[in-house]
Amino acid sequence: MALKLQVEQCSITTRHPFAIARGSTNGYKRAWVRLVDGDGQEGWGEADPSSFYGESLETVLAAFSKLAAHLPRDPFDLEGAEARWEKVVPKNWAARAALSAALHDLVGKKLGQPVWRLWGLDPTKAPLSTFTIGLDTPEKIRAKVQEAKDYPILKIKLGTDHDEEILRTIRDATDKPIRVDANAGWDVKRAKQMIPKLKEYGVEFLEQPLAADDLDGLAEVQKVAAKHQLPVVVDESCLVAADIPRLAGKVDGINIKLAKCGSLREALRMIATARAHSMLVMVGCMIETSLGITAAAHFTPLVDAADLDGAALTVDDPFTGATIDHGQIRLPAEPGLGVRRR
Ligand code: MG
């Protein structure tokens, strides 16, 4: 019997309004799907659209309506199903990622094995996750550093006209390793000026210093950063595996997000492509429930660094799945994604 697609909506709230270089909010509407087979077995997946890539809850719901007619007859036809979905809705990465996660979840449940085990991965190789401190006043930043006390590594959002003040505030509050994300908020001159300061403040790596398409600028910044042993990782500049070859030699690594690459299998292809170019691989997220986070957590044994705090930043996560225990990502041992409703 053919699979059926059921779409649900939920809203999640972050503890603080979450601000990056492009804006701030604390309420997020999310859609998630269930793929139901003839035996009533269900695979689940979540869509986390990003307005930066032209997606919203509305575009996700419209994409699901189109995709409902293109579900595989055989849930094990993972590769074929994903390829067809990409043809039907090429610009709807978040919606496709939800269906991809749901199909992998269903296959894992049918086989009685967690997804990481289907891929032959060792869950103890999952890295630590950073905890992100969004843009805020010095006083609130100090409070957030305190809230992040269980996390051994912090990720700091920069890209403002007072970045030094933010760094100083964090450094005065903690001596933990920090990573910074400028979210395309700098130009080449500013990035070059910031690099020695970042090093001085003990920053481990720098994410997306420049606009997504400024690859020549990135190459120039990376040269300076390399002299300071500061790796440069790109996020907005790298959506899918095909983006990676032209970034090789210009940056040191990539940040994978399911909301950008559109599927679990594309995430695996990105990891392989980046490794073929000797690049670092990091995995990131949007503000998501534990359903979305857990889908990404399953391939973390293959990556160098993770920023999967999207559900940890919320106060009303409707799901349980992968957890972050003092920064350590722990993968569920249950079949499929191993996600349950709270
Ligand atoms: Mg980023």
Side-chain angles (χ1 to χ4, degrees):
M1 215 175 95
L3 295 174
K4 279 205 184 73
L5 174 65
Q6 292 177 3
V7 179
E8 309 248 345
Q9 287 184 42
C10 63
S11 43
I12 41 176
T13 319
T14 51
R15 187 167 291 113
H16 305 282
F18 189 70
I20 67 166
R22 284 186 292 271
S24 164
T25 183
N26 72 337
Y28 298 80
K29 285 199 176 131
R30 294 301 186 222
W32 61 285
V33 295
R34 309 172 197 234
L35 285 177
V36 187
D37 74 4
D39 307 325
Q41 215 160 19
E42 295 186 3
W44 295 358
E46 174 180 349
D48 298 287
S50 164
S51 56
F52 185 72
Y53 302 107
E55 294 193 272
S56 63
L57 180 69
E58 289 68 35
T59 65
V60 164
L61 295 174
F64 286 150
S65 313
K66 287 188 192 160
L67 291 167
H70 299 273
L71 303 179
R73 294 203 71 77
D74 174 4
F76 287 81
D77 181 22
L78 294 155
E79 195 75 17
E82 289 193 353
R84 286 191 294 278
W85 296 337
E86 192 186 351
K87 283 210 177 95
V88 177
V89 289
K91 301 270 180 205
N92 293 90
W93 301 274
R96 285 193 277 123
L99 283 191
S100 167
L103 205 56
H104 282 81
D105 186 29
L106 182 59
V107 161
K109 285 172 179 164
K110 283 182 163 301
L111 296 173
Q113 297 294 339
V115 170
W116 57 261
R117 219 169 121 70
L118 299 181
W119 290 337
L121 304 182
D122 175 356
T124 66
K125 297 265 166 67
L128 295 170
S129 174
T130 48
F131 187 85
T132 304
I133 311 278
L135 298 175
D136 222 323
T137 60
E139 196 171 289
K140 291 214 175 112
I141 286 176
R142 276 189 288 274
K144 286 176 176 178
V145 170
Q146 186 52 33
E147 275 171 35
K149 62 180 185 319
D150 285 346
Y151 289 79
I153 313 168
L154 301 180
K155 174 164 157 177
I156 317 298
K157 294 290 191 181
L158 294 180
T160 69
D161 55 8
H162 56 283
D163 288 343
E164 286 98 328
E165 185 191 14
I166 295 173
L167 281 167
R168 215 177 309 119
T169 305
I170 303 265
R171 241 331 142 232
D172 287 347
T174 178
D175 54 9
K176 287 174 186 175
I178 56 181
R179 298 167 182 175
V180 306
D181 187 352
N183 282 111
W186 294 340
D187 58 18
V188 172
K189 187 171 162 234
R190 174 88 168 130
K192 283 182 175 173
Q193 181 192 46
M194 285 299 291
I195 286 165
K197 289 178 189 154
L198 297 178
K199 210 52 204 181
E200 199 180 299
Y201 284 108
V203 171
E204 289 187 332
F205 56 71
L206 166 61
E207 190 177 323
Q208 198 68 48
L210 309 181
D213 57 2
D214 189 1
L215 302 195
D216 292 340
L218 282 166
E220 208 180 321
V221 169
Q222 194 271 344
K223 270 202 198 97
V224 177
K227 287 195 189 119
H228 292 84
Q229 284 94 44
L230 180 71
V232 177
V233 170
V234 286
D235 180 358
E236 287 88 337
S237 297
C238 183
L239 277 69
V240 294
D243 294 328
I244 296 172
R246 64 174 166 269
L247 291 163
K250 295 186 167 149
V251 297
D252 302 289
I254 57 152
N255 188 7
I256 299 173
K257 289 176 184 161
L258 289 175
K260 294 187 299 180
C261 75
S263 92
L264 292 177
R265 309 178 83 72
E266 183 65 15
L268 298 181
R269 284 190 287 272
M270 290 180 82
I271 295 169
T273 308
R275 295 307 186 199
H277 293 91
S278 305
M279 290 165 90
L280 286 170
V281 181
M282 138 174 202
V283 56
C285 62
M286 314 301 293
I287 301 296
E288 308 183 11
T289 77
S290 280
L291 174 55
I293 293 297
T294 303
H298 277 269
F299 59 81
T300 56
L302 292 169
V303 308
D304 304 300
D307 177 34
L308 287 183
D309 60 353
L313 295 167
T314 68
V315 292
D316 48 6
D317 185 356
F319 298 100
T320 60
T323 55
I324 304 177
D325 177 12
H326 290 82
Q328 180 59 56
I329 297 170
R330 299 210 191 281
L331 302 182
E334 290 85 50
L337 294 178
V339 172
R340 292 166 186 267
R341 287 185 96 148
R342 202 176 280 278

